[in-house]
Amino acid sequence: MTIHEIEVRVDAAAAEVTGLLGHRRPGWLRPFLLLARRSIGDGAAGDVAYSLGEVVDAEDGGWAAALDWQPQAGADVFTDFTGRLLVRPYPDRVALVIEGEAEGGVQPVNDALLTRLVVLLTVALAESDLVVR
């Protein structure tokens, strides 16, 4: 088991990001998970298994949602990730964070996959109208 915490800051207000990511229809995360898995180049095909829990508002203005992800990728990649997807507010921006535990895989590959997921979400936000320019 390996423990991970990946954080990428976004130039946007916490309320706007939590509104966008926290209240989406079921399935919105699936394309990001597939793209992240593809980015590690393991040749995995097919769908990913995951569940994204209900959004829990935090007192600091952010939120958290439980995330369980089985990327169904190669031997170097974790078989199961159990953790949380968070929006963590800072005074002038927010951070997207993924934290939790991974079963199996190789630490650098697991880190790369989780980092890629957070970066993909951040890029999507940067291309939206939410970004403070």
Side-chain angles (χ1 to χ4, degrees):
M1 175 178 18
T2 56
I3 297 174
H4 304 268
E5 182 173 346
I6 310 296
E7 177 176 310
V8 177
R9 294 192 181 193
V10 180
D11 290 328
E16 294 169 333
V17 174
T18 57
L20 181 66
L21 296 181
H23 304 286
R24 303 298 282 180
R25 292 185 294 200
W28 71 266
L29 187 58
R30 183 176 311 281
F32 293 99
L33 298 173
L34 289 167
L35 286 169
R37 183 184 69 185
R38 183 176 181 161
S39 74
I40 60 170
D42 72 344
D47 209 353
V48 295
Y50 80 99
S51 65
L52 184 63
E54 293 294 319
V55 170
V56 177
D57 292 325
E59 291 182 19
D60 63 4
W63 64 255
L67 174 63
D68 188 40
W69 178 21
Q70 301 83 39
Q72 302 175 18
D76 289 344
V77 179
F78 56 82
T79 56
D80 186 53
F81 175 83
T82 303
R84 302 185 307 164
L85 180 62
L86 301 103
V87 174
R88 183 177 292 156
Y90 287 93
D92 60 340
R93 62 182 53 109
V94 297
L96 294 180
V97 181
I98 189 167
E99 64 179 22
E101 299 176 348
E103 289 291 333
V106 178
Q107 178 83 33
V109 178
N110 291 346
D111 282 339
L113 180 57
L114 293 167
T115 299
R116 188 62 176 164
L117 174 60
V118 176
V119 167
L120 286 166
L121 291 168
T122 303
V123 168
L125 287 168
E127 293 300 319
S128 75
D129 293 333
L130 295 179
V131 176
V132 177
R133 299 189 195 278

